[in-house]
């Protein structure tokens, strides 16, 4: 799966479909765990099987997941079609911009929720993990081109570790799933 390109969403319907929190959780789970049936996904996410089945079918309509061969004729697992999803709000179409803004808001909320959950369990982490995790921020004066280049460089750094997501044999001993969440905003001009 690591050779597959990112799924690029540009249709307002696809952007809105992906903005559903359970759908994002399903795609993330399939990216982390590999192929799963709706029943397996429901158990891991503590959701109902019919709900997961419905949302997996919706995700398939937009190319985010697909069926794969199961161990037998009854098993019908799903897998994520790529290790990442991209979209942009840089469009002249107001419907696309509105859908991208909605998706961005859902992602930012999920980043906040994930950070707060981590904060609640941080003390249980060993000191080695506590010393390298946590929030941070920075400020720079950049042009749009420079900011684009900085984002590409961050992605390139992370690319080295992406194959471990799909292939557990590449994970060194002691490796844990780590979420690197960030968003870039401009500040008000004064």
């Amino acid at each position: 799966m690591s050779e597959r390109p990112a799924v690029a969403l540009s249709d307002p319907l696809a952007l809105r479909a992906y903005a559903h929190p359970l759908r994002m959780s399903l795609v993330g789970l399939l990216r982390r765990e590999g192929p799963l049936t709706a029943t397996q996904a429901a158990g891991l996410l503590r959701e109902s099987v019919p709900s997961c089945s419905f949302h997996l079918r919706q995700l398939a309509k937009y190319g985010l997941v697909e069926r794969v061969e199961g161990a037998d004729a009854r098993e019908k697992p799903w897998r994520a079609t790529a290790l990442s999803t991209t979209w942009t709000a840089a469009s002249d179409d107001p419907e696309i911009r509105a859908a991208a803004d909605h998706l961005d808001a859902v992602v930012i909320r999920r980043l906040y929720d994930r950070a707060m959950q981590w904060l609640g369990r941080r003390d249980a982490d060993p000191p080695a993990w506590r010393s390298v995790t946590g929030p941070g921020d920075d400020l720079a004066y950049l042009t749009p081109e420079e900011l684009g280049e900085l984002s590409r460089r961050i992605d390139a750094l992370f690319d080295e570790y992406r194959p471990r997501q799909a292939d557990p044999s590449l994970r060194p001993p002691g490796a844990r799933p780590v979420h690197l969440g960030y968003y870039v905003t401009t500040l008000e001009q004064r």
Side-chain angles (χ1 to χ4, degrees), residues 1 18 27-34 64 80 82-85 165:
M1 186 162 49
Y18 187 53
V27 171
L29 180 66
L30 294 174
R31 288 175 178 165
R32 283 190 313 278
E33 301 295 327
L64 292 157
L83 293 179
S84 63
T85 305
Q165 190 173 344

Side-chain angles (χ1 to χ4, degrees), residues 18-189:
Y18 187 53
H20 190 284
L22 178 53
R23 292 176 188 166
M24 287 184 157
S25 293
L26 284 164
V27 171
L29 180 66
L30 294 174
R31 288 175 178 165
R32 283 190 313 278
E33 301 295 327
L36 297 170
T37 64
T39 301
Q40 292 167 323
L44 291 168
L45 295 175
R46 299 179 184 176
E47 295 285 342
S48 74
V49 174
S51 180
C52 286
S53 183
F54 170 78
H55 289 295
L56 285 164
R57 288 191 309 272
Q58 294 303 305
L59 289 165
K61 286 182 183 179
Y62 300 103
L64 292 157
V65 302
E66 64 189 3
R67 291 273 194 189
V68 293
E69 213 171 292
D72 59 43
R74 294 179 309 143
E75 188 177 84
K76 296 178 179 163
W78 297 87
R79 74 171 172 188
T81 56
L83 293 179
S84 63
T85 305
T86 63
W87 62 92
T88 182
S91 171
D92 292 333
D93 184 332
E95 190 176 350
I96 291 173
R97 285 196 315 270
D101 286 350
H102 175 68
L103 178 52
D104 286 347
V106 171
V107 168
I108 290 169
R109 180 63 193 197
R110 288 173 58 88
L111 289 172
Y112 170 79
D113 290 345
R114 182 177 282 155
M116 295 308 290
Q117 290 167 3
W118 165 80
L119 190 59
R121 67 177 187 277
R122 172 174 54 178
D123 283 348
D125 276 345
W129 282 102
R130 287 195 311 263
S131 70
V132 294
T133 56
D137 73 323
D138 218 328
L139 176 67
Y141 287 82
L142 304 171
T143 65
E145 296 77 20
E146 290 170 327
L147 181 55
E149 176 59 24
L150 179 59
S151 291
R152 283 186 288 282
R153 289 170 56 195
I154 291 169
D155 284 343
L157 287 171
F158 210 70
D159 279 345
E160 177 182 343
Y161 305 101
R162 279 196 182 95
R164 295 179 184 180
Q165 190 173 344
D167 186 352
S169 71
L170 298 175
R171 300 172 191 163
R176 291 172 62 180
V178 173
H179 180 256
L180 175 66
Y182 69 93
Y183 54 91
V184 179
T185 62
T186 57
L187 299 178
E188 283 188 63
Q189 299 255 348

